[in-house]
Amino acid sequence: SGSGGGGGGEPGIITVRQNFKDTAVFKAQVTTDENGSAQVKVKLPENLTTWVADVRAVTQDSRVGQTTNELVSTKPLFVQLQTPRFFVVGDQVTVGATIFNNTDKSLKVNVSLDAQGVELKSDAIQTIEIEGKQQAYVTWDVHVKNNIQRVDMTATAVSGQFTDASKPALGTLPNQG
């Protein structure tokens, strides 16, 4: 994406990526035109990754063909929150975020964690410098609160016009003790 902005055109609003899927689309039947070409429009999930398109074709007279192609979905600056899949009530855990600077220039990045269901034991906002085409890792210590149903966390990275926010699906288990 050219601008790297995250909001829907409104300053100060950052769109949170939380629609993460393993498969972007599956189309069982697509009809080609007279030249053997077809187009499929796909709205990609919000994963920032390399997608692989696998296409197989069969003609009416049983001739077959197959091709594979890759598409990279990325942003100039993005954050990837790394947490346990589940939290246990009462646990003390460290969660982290990897921040990727895909630009050619060094960026000063404000990285923040908004966390529900846990008590933050670290500063919610951290500022780091990331060289161009590099990544950095920040961590937060948290204590999972008692009597909660779930934990929700959103990591946000902001550097000038570049923004990103990521909210993975998390769960909570009761204390096993």
Side-chain angles (χ1 to χ4, degrees), residues 119-139:
E119 179 185 351
L120 269 175
K121 300 290 188 176
S122 308
D123 290 337
I125 301 174
Q126 300 182 42
T127 303
I128 55 171
E129 189 87 17
I130 309 174
E131 295 297 318
K133 303 296 183 189
Q134 298 295 315
Q135 63 191 48
Y137 188 70
V138 298
T139 62

Side-chain angles (χ1 to χ4, degrees), residues 108-171:
K108 183 177 180 180
V109 183
N110 289 327
V111 186
S112 61
L113 180 68
D114 177 32
Q116 308 298 319
V118 298
E119 179 185 351
L120 269 175
K121 300 290 188 176
S122 308
D123 290 337
I125 301 174
Q126 300 182 42
T127 303
I128 55 171
E129 189 87 17
I130 309 174
E131 295 297 318
K133 303 296 183 189
Q134 298 295 315
Q135 63 191 48
Y137 188 70
V138 298
T139 62
W140 296 271
D141 294 321
V142 301
H143 176 257
V144 183
K145 294 179 181 178
N146 293 321
N147 302 318
I148 58 160
Q149 298 299 313
R150 61 176 291 109
V151 170
D152 284 305
M153 294 186 177
T154 303
T156 303
V158 177
S159 180
Q161 68 180 13
F162 303 124
T163 63
D164 188 41
S166 177
K167 179 179 181 177
L170 305 173

Side-chain angles (χ1 to χ4, degrees), residues 8-162:
E10 297 180 47
I13 296 177
I14 298 172
T15 300
V16 179
R17 291 182 298 109
Q18 55 188 341
N19 176 23
F20 303 115
K21 296 179 181 177
D22 293 331
T23 302
V25 68
F26 177 80
K27 295 267 189 184
Q29 290 187 319
V30 177
T31 303
T32 62
D33 62 17
E34 61 276 4
N35 299 318
S37 296
Q39 288 188 357
V40 176
K41 289 188 178 181
V42 177
K43 182 176 182 181
L44 292 176
E46 294 172 319
N47 314 49
L48 299 180
T49 188
T50 300
W51 294 96
V52 177
D54 186 15
V55 180
R56 299 165 194 210
V58 179
T59 65
Q60 289 182 336
D61 58 351
S62 299
R63 290 180 291 165
V64 297
Q66 177 180 343
T67 188
T68 301
N69 207 344
E70 292 186 347
L71 167 69
V72 177
S73 173
T74 191
K75 295 178 75 172
L77 175 74
F78 73 92
V79 60
Q80 188 172 55
L81 188 56
Q82 298 171 352
T83 69
R85 181 72 176 94
F86 293 97
F87 291 86
V88 176
V89 169
D91 270 1
Q92 303 263 4
V93 296
T94 300
V95 298
T98 304
I99 302 90
F100 298 84
N101 176 3
N102 288 331
T103 72
D104 293 323
K105 298 181 178 165
S106 178
L107 295 178
K108 183 177 180 180
V109 183
N110 289 327
V111 186
S112 61
L113 180 68
D114 177 32
Q116 308 298 319
V118 298
E119 179 185 351
L120 269 175
K121 300 290 188 176
S122 308
D123 290 337
I125 301 174
Q126 300 182 42
T127 303
I128 55 171
E129 189 87 17
I130 309 174
E131 295 297 318
K133 303 296 183 189
Q134 298 295 315
Q135 63 191 48
Y137 188 70
V138 298
T139 62
W140 296 271
D141 294 321
V142 301
H143 176 257
V144 183
K145 294 179 181 178
N146 293 321
N147 302 318
I148 58 160
Q149 298 299 313
R150 61 176 291 109
V151 170
D152 284 305
M153 294 186 177
T154 303
T156 303
V158 177
S159 180
Q161 68 180 13
F162 303 124

